[in-house]
Amino acid sequence: SVHKFTNPKIPSIMNRNTLALLAVQASSLLTSTHALCDAECTTKDPTADFKIQYTGRCTPDTFNDKITNTETHECLVCLYNVDKAVSLTSIDSVVQSLCEDAYAADVFSYTDIARKGAQFDNEYYSGGGEWNYEVQTASGEDVLAYDASRVDDVYYYEAQRKVIEFPEHIESFNPHTGKVINGFEDLDGCDYNAAYCCFAQDRQANDNNGNCNTPYDYNCVDKDPADNANICYVDHTRSARSSHVDSGFSIFGDLKTGKENIEGPVHCHGFTWPDNALHQDNVYKGNLLFYVSMYDHMTQRGYVRNIPGSPMCACAENMAVVTRADCTQVQVDEKVTFRWTVADSSLEAVVYIDDIDYNACTGLDANNNLLERARKLEDIGALAEEKVTAIEEILVGSTAGKCNAAIETFLGTKNVSRID
């Protein structure tokens, strides 16, 4: 046999040498960071961990309002550049980047709401599936409050305290049809910064909304939601991936007689968000979608089902053209911490969400109105004019004749014209 001699002291010697080397490297790193930011960090010591905290949103405007010391600004810019190996010069750019990362760091997955899989989610937002089709029976089967109880859980435990992702796995909100709709190529996501739902049926009694009543077998068959909009037309090609209708269109007005509102009651409700990635309605647009579609309208009011040929809920450019839609926005209470950690020379922002409230939106000339909300965002420079113009072609207004005028314009694109 071969005997191998080992010296048990060698590992301990190597460990001591390794630790000494690491200590030297760490000391060198701290010295390097301190030296690099020594002139900038007159109010903070970059060789020690520190935090900057305040109550408010994680945005450059709020940061500058709460943290006014310009030396602190310069220190954070320098430390950020060391951490990320970049060369930013503006505290606004640093805070913007840190805050975007902070909101993205702790996001509730949309697939965890129903926990029934991507196909279920896609069918629900198209207007199909069990939550849309089923109605409670006299024997107590298919009770919405039981079948969709997960929605209430998510509302109470997640939707008021956490960012919910905007669901790119759902085709209604990531259609990529490639069509040019009102001047915008329909690419990934919602190109107009707006989305809404139009519900065609009420399936729940005793909630003071819609006209579904008990007993369900007799008084909740094909019942209606509260009417707040008129349907003008549906261009099926705009939502082929979600509605599974490749072509054609549906008209909901009578151009010969001038009659509108011929479709019966329909209820539309949506939300819009600014271009700024840190605006609360942009950060929490996944929350808004969940609240508007699943919580406020389905479980609280029983509103379900889609307009034929249109998704039940989708990006504005892929929805039925209607006169108007109600609107919701969020109000968020947050606490923010900017944290420098010496061990890994990292600078990060952490957002703690105290509460998220869902309110009727404020508009330019009217409240609780999706188009007016978009116009207000444009008025304050938060939403591009061309996007608002495009939304105006989808939400055409409630004044008599506007719906039929939109229909006639649309038919003209199909080479269909009026013969007087």
Side-chain angles (χ1 to χ4, degrees):
S1 62
V2 179
H3 178 73
K4 295 183 179 180
F5 175 78
T6 58
N7 186 346
K9 294 183 179 181
I10 291 177
S12 61
I13 294 172
M14 291 180 65
N15 287 341
R16 287 197 298 271
N17 290 339
T18 301
L19 290 173
L21 177 61
L22 290 174
V24 170
Q25 290 175 335
S27 175
S28 175
L29 177 62
L30 295 180
T31 302
S32 174
T33 301
H34 181 71
L36 284 172
C37 297
D38 184 55
E40 292 83 0
C41 292
T42 58
T43 60
K44 301 292 180 183
D45 179 7
T47 64
D49 294 350
F50 67 81
K51 298 177 181 178
I52 298 172
Q53 298 174 305
Y54 63 80
T55 298
R57 296 286 330 287
C58 194
T59 68
D61 286 346
T62 307
F63 178 90
N64 289 324
D65 181 59
K66 300 286 186 176
I67 311 300
T68 58
N69 189 296
T70 56
E71 286 83 3
T72 300
H73 294 188
E74 293 171 0
C75 179
L76 292 183
V77 170
C78 182
L79 294 177
Y80 180 87
N81 288 336
V82 170
D83 177 20
K84 306 298 183 183
V86 295
S87 300
L88 299 184
T89 58
S90 164
I91 186 62
D92 286 0
S93 298
V94 169
V95 172
Q96 180 82 20
S97 178
L98 289 172
C99 289
E100 288 182 13
D101 289 344
Y103 286 119
D106 187 19
V107 175
F108 185 74
S109 172
Y110 216 88
T111 59
D112 281 339
I113 296 174
R115 290 182 176 172
K116 292 176 178 288
Q119 183 175 350
F120 179 92
D121 292 344
N122 274 291
E123 284 300 311
Y124 171 74
Y125 281 104
S126 294
E130 61 189 72
W131 286 357
N132 283 303
Y133 289 150
E134 293 177 350
V135 177
Q136 185 173 332
T137 66
S139 60
E141 296 177 342
D142 301 327
V143 179
L144 181 60
Y146 300 157
D147 293 347
S149 60
R150 174 76 185 150
V151 172
D152 286 343
D153 291 342
V154 171
Y155 175 70
Y156 288 111
Y157 295 109
E158 307 292 346
Q160 298 178 82
R161 295 171 181 84
K162 186 173 287 190
V163 176
I164 298 177
E165 73 166 334
F166 196 70
E168 294 186 355
H169 71 286
I170 296 176
E171 292 178 342
S172 295
F173 303 100
N174 194 20
H176 196 94
T177 66
K179 289 176 58 67
V180 176
I181 304 174
N182 299 328
F184 280 80
E185 186 177 1
D186 189 14
L187 301 174
D188 295 343
C190 296
D191 300 303
Y192 299 175
N193 289 32
Y196 60 92
C197 305
C198 285
F199 306 99
Q201 184 174 325
D202 178 20
R203 61 161 290 184
Q204 181 170 267
N206 301 321
D207 58 15
N208 296 316
N209 287 282
N211 63 2
C212 168
N213 287 300
T214 56
Y216 277 91
D217 289 359
Y218 299 100
N219 294 325
C220 195
V221 177
D222 195 23
K223 292 302 180 178
D224 302 317
D227 192 15
N228 74 344
N230 296 338
I231 309 169
C232 304
Y233 66 89
V234 179
D235 181 353
H236 300 169
T237 64
R238 295 183 181 181
S239 55
R241 290 179 62 184
S242 59
S243 66
H244 312 300
V245 180
D246 288 335
S247 61
F249 52 86
S250 301
I251 301 299
F252 293 87
D254 190 333
L255 299 184
K256 184 175 181 179
T257 65
K259 188 175 182 180
E260 299 173 320
N261 192 24
I262 66 175
E263 73 282 347
V266 63
H267 189 95
C268 299
H269 198 121
F271 53 97
T272 185
W273 57 91
D275 294 316
N276 184 352
L278 293 181
H279 189 283
Q280 59 189 7
D281 288 334
N282 194 327
V283 171
Y284 297 98
K285 58 182 179 289
N287 299 61
L288 282 163
L289 174 61
F290 164 77
Y291 178 84
V292 167
S293 60
M294 289 186 172
Y295 180 74
D296 184 38
H297 286 86
M298 184 181 69
T299 65
Q300 301 304 296
R301 311 189 201 193
Y303 291 176
V304 294
R305 303 291 295 273
N306 62 305
I307 297 167
S310 171
M312 183 178 72
C313 306
C315 300
E317 60 266 29
N318 306 110
M319 283 293 292
V321 173
V322 298
T323 53
R324 65 173 304 282
D326 290 348
C327 176
T328 296
Q329 65 185 79
V330 295
Q331 177 62 46
V332 186
D333 295 325
E334 299 171 349
K335 292 183 175 68
V336 181
T337 299
F338 290 85
R339 183 167 60 201
W340 167 252
T341 304
V342 174
D344 55 1
S345 296
S346 65
L347 181 65
E348 64 177 346
V350 179
V351 178
Y352 176 79
I353 302 168
D354 278 334
D355 187 43
I356 304 172
D357 291 326
Y358 299 86
N359 305 314
C361 62
T362 57
L364 187 63
D365 294 322
N367 296 331
N368 195 31
N369 184 294
L370 180 55
L371 177 58
E372 290 298 329
R373 175 62 177 171
R375 286 171 172 166
K376 180 174 182 177
L377 293 178
E378 179 195 359
D379 187 61
I380 63 175
L383 186 60
E385 178 184 0
E386 57 267 25
K387 293 184 179 181
V388 178
T389 300
I391 295 172
E392 290 172 342
E393 300 296 318
I394 304 293
L395 303 170
V396 300
S398 300
T399 303
K402 284 197 171 183
C403 209
N404 277 348
I407 292 171
E408 189 159 2
T409 299
F410 169 71
L411 290 176
T413 68
K414 304 297 182 181
N415 296 318
V416 178
S417 57
R418 180 198 296 267
I419 300 176
D420 295 321

